[in-house]
Amino acid sequence: MVALLVCEAQVAHLVGDHYLWLGNVEMAWHCKNAEPLLYWRRTYRSLGDELFLKAFEELTLPYEYWDHEAHLRLAWNYIKEYGKEAATPLVKSGIQKFNEVNKDKVSCNY
């Protein structure tokens, strides 16, 4: 096992033919020595987290890849690296910078 999230479900919303579950993370665990198996955008990708984060931080990530999955991926990696308290302002400021550079493409604010 590479990682484990234990969550308490709060609500589920039907979105098209899928459910979106919202809840609280009760526990998070990951194996520091394991290489993650990356399944993103319904296919296996060679783009690793380090390259993803570098592209995000350097504001070169293509905007069409900046979706809900990418938000979660960013937050998860920052929390793993910095812990929840330190990661929160980094995620917030990073998203604001990314949206500012892509303001002609952004249809909603965060």
Side-chain angles (χ1 to χ4, degrees):
M1 183 180 320
V2 174
L4 172 71
L5 286 176
V6 177
C7 302
E8 178 185 348
Q10 298 296 311
V11 65
H13 297 282
L14 181 60
V15 180
D17 62 349
H18 291 79
Y19 280 95
L20 170 65
W21 288 85
L22 303 174
N24 295 320
V25 176
E26 301 292 325
M27 183 191 78
W29 173 87
H30 73 282
C31 179
K32 294 182 183 189
N33 299 326
E35 288 294 319
L37 178 60
L38 181 60
Y39 185 78
W40 187 55
R41 298 182 149 272
R42 298 181 186 207
T43 188
Y44 290 98
R45 303 285 176 162
S46 62
L47 177 64
D49 287 335
E50 288 180 28
L51 293 176
F52 168 77
L53 292 172
K54 183 176 190 245
F56 174 79
E57 291 167 353
E58 293 177 352
L59 306 173
T60 59
L61 182 72
Y63 188 77
E64 59 269 16
Y65 294 151
W66 187 237
D67 57 10
H68 183 68
E69 290 177 52
H71 282 77
L72 294 176
R73 185 179 186 189
L74 173 73
W76 171 249
N77 278 283
Y78 274 31
I79 290 169
K80 279 192 325 184
E81 181 71 25
Y82 303 108
K84 181 182 173 185
E85 296 304 316
T88 301
L90 294 173
V91 170
K92 182 177 178 180
S93 66
I95 290 172
Q96 289 171 337
K97 287 177 194 172
F98 189 83
N99 285 349
E100 180 60 30
V101 168
N102 294 284
K103 62 184 168 191
D104 59 320
K105 301 171 191 124
V106 176
S107 60
C108 64
N109 293 317
Y110 297 94

